[in-house]
């Protein structure tokens, strides 16, 4: 990581930790988010750091935005940073549509006729349902990437025009059901989707945000375990002195490193625009999901009963990991995708695929 | 604890292409079937051919006959050899472990004598660490050398000495004096395996092979100039050696060919959702483990000492190796036989029988975790 990005990451980390310590995150579960924290984050431009300046963003890189997201994971911050800048805002900006000042969210998957569009002069009428839309009620606009006949369009729908509500993730973050009941989207709020904006590119971008956030949350869980094992005494000594506990600590840190590497490697491939980078992202999401299983279970085991209480912080991270691992494509889904890439390459090219090198 | 991805380097990829071309041409000629990892096969002929291309002792400086190459260049060559199942066992230890040790601790004479021969692929070393009563607790070694006129008189027994019946030398960790702590007073002596008083007895392993040996040392005379490093600093030297070997691709590539040949011999695998899930996961993990190993190599190249990261990688990599074998096995309905004409079945069988060793050799995973945990809870 460049020194500048390191400094950005550290300052964001300080901001989130000071303004929204874990007690605040815990208390936010009733409301679903932290509006005051969001205010600070958006005033500092951290939510749209990778949006080009001409569209009202910070003009930073994808890696800068991911440095912020890492801290969102590390601090379990319940705010739509990924959705506003890297997903919904990204689609609007790519399509040349104006970005609202408030939070932006996106329908994660509006393919396959989930949201139907009918043309009405310059406008489109929307009918259908968006599922598991992050922080829909809290957002100002909901972005939909929709198929309209042969066309693919990006729509920016005011939240006031839809009805939303419903589910929370396992970590208590809103993922709402949004009903589009004959919503009219005028000419200034839709555009033809550029080549870069597809159902799949949204899915892959979303998957990468989750891997980065998971890396941050895992790092925090690992640190918590290491501190706890030193502080907690049983049989007259810190439990860190017991080999059985040491093995948990090592396994947890290994998985945290594994996911960090997966996310960093995929991010680099995407940022450099390397051909076939969907493989890197898919592999990263598979690995992050598999790591969660080990890391969450062993983190809880080493913390003992205190770790399963609401009062203790560990679950703020482990529950988010369990939620994020399945968003924008589960490990199961992406394993199938990786397999298809492997099959297309054939056995001779398995090793070149793994090493991301040219065919042999 | 940063794992930073390594940017692709065009020169490295060019080197990779050359190694692949060489392997495609030479592997069929050598008459040894592709094998598993560092124990794929002992072939002086292959080692010498590889050395002619400058790919043995690459990281040895040019003044000692090496290639003066970077850590990453060596990484690329090593991973390509391992992924192809090339018979690299003959030069493996001398190239990976002895050469860096000689460079760091050896005298000018020792470097002149051994390094060019190692780089030519002609001089092979074994390890001389473990003993019957000293496994994980290496500092308890009982081999002992006493100073005599012009050298040392060495007595003791070493075990698990792979290749001792084929190789030329081994660096023996032994007690040469009594220190205040048991880590003091240990030294490394370079012993010619053909010296008088050296008896090499094969230790058959459960797969029937006898690549490992017991080496009995009875009044073996070791000349003064074969003391490696200083008298009494052997412990520091062997731990430095170990840190170098733990993150390398041999710690996750041993059963790679089992997976590759599974794909070769089961063309319709992707039609099975279960097989696709399993292969998708294995390949994803391979990709990430390799990125981790590569990033540790880059960190070594930058002059850092990522000892903890390396120990973690060995733990992760070897556990993955064992997992891979069981996962692939669960996708097929067959009874692996020795000597099968199917490369997949042959390699699977070999992998099943050698897998227990993956998490033992080079420091058991339990010992590695103890090392890592100590750092994590400092």
């Amino acid at each position: 990581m460049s020194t500048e990005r390191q400094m950005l990451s550290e300052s964001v980390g300080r901001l989130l930790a000071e303004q929204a310590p874990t007690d605040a995150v815990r208390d936010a579960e009733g409301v679903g988010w932290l509006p005051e924290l969001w205010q600070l984050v958006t005033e500092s431009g951290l939510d749209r750091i990778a949006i080009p300046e001409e569209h009202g963003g910070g003009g930073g890189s994808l890696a800068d935005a991911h440095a912020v997201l890492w801290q969102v994971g590390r601090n379990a911050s319940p705010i739509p940073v990924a959705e506003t800048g890297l997903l919904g805002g990204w689609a609007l900006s790519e399509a040349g549509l104006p970005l609202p000042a408030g939070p932006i969210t996106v329908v994660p998957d509006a393919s396959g006729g989930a949201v139907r569009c009918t043309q009405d002069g310059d406008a489109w009428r929307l009918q259908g349902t968006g599922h598991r839309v992050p922080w829909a009620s809290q957002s100002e606009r909901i972005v939909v990437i929709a198929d309209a006949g042969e066309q693919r369009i990006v729509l920016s729908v005011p939240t006031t025009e839809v009805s939303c509500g419903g589910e929370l993730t396992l970590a208590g973050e809103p993922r709402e059901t949004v009903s589009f009941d004959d919503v009219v989207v005028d000419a200034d709020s839709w555009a033809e989707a550029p080549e870069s904006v597809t159902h799949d590119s949204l899915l892959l971008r979303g998957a990468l945000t989750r891997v980065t956030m998971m890396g941050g949350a895992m790092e925090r869980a690992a640190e918590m375990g290491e501190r706890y094992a030193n502080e907690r005494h049983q049989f007259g000594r810190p439990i860190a002195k017991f080999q059985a506990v040491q093995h948990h600590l090592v396994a947890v840190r290994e998985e945290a490193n594994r996911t960090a590497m997966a996310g960093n490697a995929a991010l680099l491939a995407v940022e450099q625009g390397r051909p076939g980078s969907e493989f890197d992202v898919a592999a990263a999401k598979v690995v992050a999901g598999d790591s969660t299983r080990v890391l969450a279970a062993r983190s809880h085991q080493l913390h003992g009963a205190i770790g399963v209480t609401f009062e203790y912080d560990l679950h703020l991270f482990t529950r988010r990991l369990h939620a994020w691992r399945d968003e924008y494509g589960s490990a199961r889904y992406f394993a199938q995708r990786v397999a298809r890439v492997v099959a297309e390459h054939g056995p001779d090219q398995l090793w070149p695929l793994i090493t991301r090198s040219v065919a042999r | 604890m940063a794992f930073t991805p390594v940017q692709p380097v065009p020169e490295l990829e060019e080197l990779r292409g050359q190694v692949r071309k060489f392997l495609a041409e030479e592997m069929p000629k050598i008459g040894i079937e592709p094998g598993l990892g560092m124990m794929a096969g002992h072939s002086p002929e292959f080692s010498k051919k590889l050395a002619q291309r400058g790919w043995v002792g690459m990281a040895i400086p040019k003044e000692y006959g090496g290639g003066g190459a970077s850590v990453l260049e060596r990484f690329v060559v090593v991973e390509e050899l391992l992924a192809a199942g090339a018979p690299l066992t003959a030069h493996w230890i001398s190239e990976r472990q002895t050469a860096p040790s000689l460079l760091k601790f050896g005298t000018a004479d020792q470097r002149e004598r051994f390094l060019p021969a190692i780089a030519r692929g002609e001089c092979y070393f074994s390890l001389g660490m473990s003993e019957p009563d000293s496994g994980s607790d290496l500092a308890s070694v009982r081999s002992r050398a006493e100073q005599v006129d012009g050298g040392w008189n060495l007595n003791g027994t070493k075990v698990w000495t792979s290749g001792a019946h084929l190789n030329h030398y081994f660096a023996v960790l032994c007690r040469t004096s009594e220190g205040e702590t048991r880590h003091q007073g240990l030294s490394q002596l370079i012993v010619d395996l053909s010296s008088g008083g050296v008896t090499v007895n094969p230790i058959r392993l459960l797969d029937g092979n006898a690549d490992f040996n017991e080496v009995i040392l009875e009044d073996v005379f070791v000349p003064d100039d074969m003391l490696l490093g200083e008298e009494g600093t052997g412990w520091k030297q062997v731990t430095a050696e170990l840190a170098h070997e733990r993150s390398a691709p041999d710690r996750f590539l041993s059963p790679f060919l089992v997976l590759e040949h599974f794909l070769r011999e089961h063309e319709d695998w992707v039609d099975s959702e279960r097989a696709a899930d399993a292969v998708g996961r294995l390949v994803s993990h391979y990709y990430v483990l390799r990125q981790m190993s590569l990033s540790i190599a880059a960190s070594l190249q930058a002059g850092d000492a990522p000892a903890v990261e390396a120990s973690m990688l060995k733990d992760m990599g070897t556990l993955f190796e064992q997992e891979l074998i069981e996962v692939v096995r669960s996708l097929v309905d067959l009874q692996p036989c020795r000597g099968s004409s199917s490369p997949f079945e042959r390699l699977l069988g070999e992998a099943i029988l050698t897998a227990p060793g993956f998490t033992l050799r080079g420091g058991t995973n339990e010992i590695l975790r103890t090392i890592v945990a100590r750092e994590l809870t400092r």
Side-chain angles (χ1 to χ4, degrees), chain A residues 33-234:
Chain A
W33 77 321
L34 286 169
E36 303 81 10
L37 180 66
W38 176 257
Q39 219 42 50
L40 284 170
V41 164
T42 197
E43 277 163 15
S44 328
L46 295 170
D47 57 327
R48 44 196 88 193
I49 205 163
I51 302 277
E53 286 175 31
E54 62 267 32
H55 294 145
S61 66
L62 186 65
D64 293 333
H66 275 263
V68 175
L69 275 188
W70 177 272
Q71 293 294 345
V72 169
R74 224 192 112 77
N75 292 283
S77 309
I79 44 173
V81 177
E83 286 69 24
T84 297
L86 281 166
L87 304 172
W90 158 78
L92 294 181
S93 152
E94 289 282 302
L97 289 168
L99 272 72
I104 308 167
T105 191
V106 65
V107 177
D109 183 9
S111 67
V115 182
R116 295 177 306 282
C117 312
T118 14
Q119 203 146 17
D120 181 1
D122 285 350
W124 289 91
R125 286 176 178 278
L126 292 192
Q127 189 74 45
T129 309
H131 293 285
R132 307 198 65 77
V133 180
W135 289 286
S137 298
Q138 290 82 4
S139 295
E140 186 174 341
R141 294 260 171 167
I142 299 169
V143 175
V144 184
I145 298 169
D147 299 312
E150 298 296 293
Q151 258 184 311
R152 195 175 61 249
I153 55 177
V154 178
L155 303 115
S156 173
V157 184
T159 309
T160 48
E161 301 295 307
V162 302
S163 60
C164 35
E167 295 99 72
L168 300 173
T169 67
L170 294 177
E173 293 183 350
R175 297 291 186 269
E176 299 176 47
T177 303
V178 175
S179 303
F180 300 91
D181 189 10
D182 202 25
V183 176
V184 178
V185 181
D186 290 328
D188 57 359
S189 291
W190 70 269
E192 212 169 309
E195 224 170 279
S196 58
V197 179
T198 64
H199 297 301
D200 199 49
S201 65
L202 175 68
L203 176 80
L204 292 167
R205 281 180 79 87
L208 193 53
T209 65
R210 292 312 186 256
V211 177
T212 296
M213 288 152 70
M214 290 168 83
M218 287 186 187
E219 182 183 66
R220 187 68 173 272
E223 286 171 11
M224 285 188 73
E226 287 151 18
R227 200 176 52 239
Y228 181 78
N230 268 336
E231 287 170 359
R232 172 78 171 167
H233 283 64
Q234 289 289 276

Side-chain angles (χ1 to χ4, degrees), chain A residues 226-247:
Chain A
E226 287 151 18
R227 200 176 52 239
Y228 181 78
N230 268 336
E231 287 170 359
R232 172 78 171 167
H233 283 64
Q234 289 289 276
F235 304 102
R237 51 190 172 143
I239 60 168
K241 298 289 175 208
F242 295 95
Q243 280 193 351
V245 174
Q246 290 176 351
H247 288 194

